[in-house]
Amino acid sequence: MTKRLYYDSSEMHEFDSVVEEVAPSSPEQSRPAIILRETAFYPASGGQVHDTGWLTPDAGERLRVTEVADAEDGRIVHYLEASARLPLAGTAVHGSVDGERRRDHMQQHTGQHVLSAAFVELYQMPTVSFHMGEDYCSIDLAAPSVSSEQIAGAEKRANQVVFENRPVRIRYVSRAEAEKIGLRKLPPAEHDELRLVEVADFDLSACGGTHVSATGQIGSIVLRKSERVRQGTRVEFVCGERAVRLARRDYSALSEAAALFSSQLWDVPDQIRKNVEESKLVRKQKEDALDQLAELMAFDALHNQAETNGRKIVVRAFSDRDIGFAKLFAQKVTRAGTPAIALVASSVDPPGLVFAQTQAGLSGATADMGALLKQVLSSVGGRGGGSRDFAQGGVPAGCKVEQLLQQAAGTIGN
Ligand SMILES: [Zn+2]
């Protein structure tokens, strides 16, 4: 088993060791790997993500550690960049853990202990799992729901514990002792000796991760969103420097929004609400105006069109109105009370055709709009269809829609 130096000091970022085993890259494993006698590198486990850093062999160039993992036999595997020139087993190496990344993990992880304990203390909601991502962390609580008051309450209590700068201590106890003390969470029975992490007079739990030495170093704990998940409720949070970074990002986004409205930050929700209402109203006014315009244009077209075989055939290609308006115009033409056929097109992207006729019942010769449209579309490779009285379809871009309308009008016959 690899000796884990981080167990006794989370602050140790530099260490000396000896290479125990070297595994060059192979078809099964794209990256070379190194196992050391002891290491301060933390492998991904218990929800905490792995460290990165450097290994410098005696008289060799330094090697980038990109990932660290726990092997099943209790050893820790350091994965290196594919191009690494590997040292021989037995070589002395100096290890350097990426300190900034580690500090971030310590802040998030210790913050999680405090937050989980706050949810138990205030609302008896135990944490069932912990996840640490690149941007945010989350805990899953065994609770069907968590109210926004409870979110705010747990956040307040957790930060109180941060501000009190309570010591965070590590100690080792036997399993029997641990059962007597009453831990927040007892791990499955694997080892006889348990590593306990204690936030003074607030939380005691078994954990193998890296932690800060006093709660003040967590900086702050900010809860973000909560959502229902299979095993309960997931609460997202960020601690320390991440909290500052996210607050800065939120502030930038909010200030940009406020500048667009020339308003104060806290007025942005009201401004957005007002804008949404206004755009709804404008959309409605636009729809009404288009409806009236289509009606007037249809009236005008019918007025100027002579009747043949008991109905009027209106042919119109729009180059400045979309297919939605073409459809509206066709409906107005065919529902004006006079038997009529509307052969309408729009060349505005996406270009298309609308063929409609006044419903049977009114006098006048009729045709089959669906069949007519299919016939016209087949000549240009368009798609669409419809019923006997109404059909609509799209044509390829650049298609001469006027010619298609003439073709359709010719088929019906005047
Ligand atoms: Zn922990």
Side-chain angles (χ1 to χ4, degrees), residues 48 109-110 112-113 195 197 205-211:
Q48 184 174 335
H109 191 139
T110 318
Q112 180 259 314
H113 280 248
R195 180 176 186 256
V197 178
S205 51
C207 181
T210 58
H211 308 85

Side-chain angles (χ1 to χ4, degrees), residues 167-298:
V168 179
R169 295 189 204 96
I170 304 292
R171 62 187 158 112
Y172 296 88
V173 295
S174 69
R175 198 169 177 84
E177 272 178 89
E179 278 165 12
K180 257 185 278 169
I181 307 170
L183 300 183
R184 175 164 57 78
K185 196 177 170 192
L186 199 64
E190 269 176 27
H191 309 292
D192 286 337
E193 193 184 52
L194 291 177
R195 180 176 186 256
L196 300 188
V197 178
E198 179 175 27
V199 176
D201 302 321
F202 188 63
D203 185 46
L204 188 60
S205 51
C207 181
T210 58
H211 308 85
V212 297
S213 53
T215 54
Q217 292 164 24
I218 297 168
S220 60
I221 303 175
V222 177
L223 272 56
R224 310 275 295 179
K225 69 173 184 185
S226 70
E227 61 180 339
R228 182 105 184 82
V229 290
R230 199 169 45 85
Q231 54 185 350
T233 303
R234 179 161 301 163
V235 177
E236 282 182 20
F237 68 96
V238 280
C239 302
E241 211 257 317
R242 286 191 194 201
V244 176
R245 209 165 57 219
L246 263 181
R248 171 58 47 198
R249 202 180 72 186
D250 290 353
Y251 180 80
S252 301
L254 207 49
S255 330
E256 208 180 310
L260 288 173
F261 292 117
S262 305
S263 73
Q264 300 289 351
L265 296 191
W266 49 88
D267 287 334
V268 168
D270 267 346
Q271 291 285 353
I272 292 177
R273 220 169 280 127
K274 216 169 95 186
N275 258 48
V276 168
E277 286 305 314
E278 271 171 18
S279 50
K280 263 190 214 159
L281 187 69
V282 169
R283 205 178 311 133
K284 177 79 177 66
Q285 286 171 339
K286 186 187 161 195
E287 277 169 15
D288 290 349
L290 283 176
D291 193 81
Q292 286 172 17
L293 179 65
E295 194 161 316
L296 286 170
M297 288 174 81

Side-chain angles (χ1 to χ4, degrees), residues 153-174:
E155 183 181 66
K156 188 174 176 193
R157 178 65 179 132
N159 281 293
Q160 232 168 36
V161 173
V162 169
F163 303 150
E164 287 160 2
N165 200 25
R166 299 186 189 213
V168 179
R169 295 189 204 96
I170 304 292
R171 62 187 158 112
Y172 296 88
V173 295
S174 69

Side-chain angles (χ1 to χ4, degrees), residues 119 125-129 138-147 151 225-236:
F119 270 112
M125 292 176 180
T127 294
V128 288
S129 72
S138 63
I139 49 174
D140 288 352
L141 298 170
S145 67
V146 180
S147 70
I151 291 281
K225 69 173 184 185
S226 70
E227 61 180 339
R228 182 105 184 82
V229 290
R230 199 169 45 85
Q231 54 185 350
T233 303
R234 179 161 301 163
V235 177
E236 282 182 20

Side-chain angles (χ1 to χ4, degrees), residues 322-335:
D322 65 9
I323 191 68
F325 186 81
K327 184 177 169 185
L328 195 60
F329 175 76
Q331 285 167 343
K332 298 290 183 192
V333 167
T334 53
R335 291 174 192 171

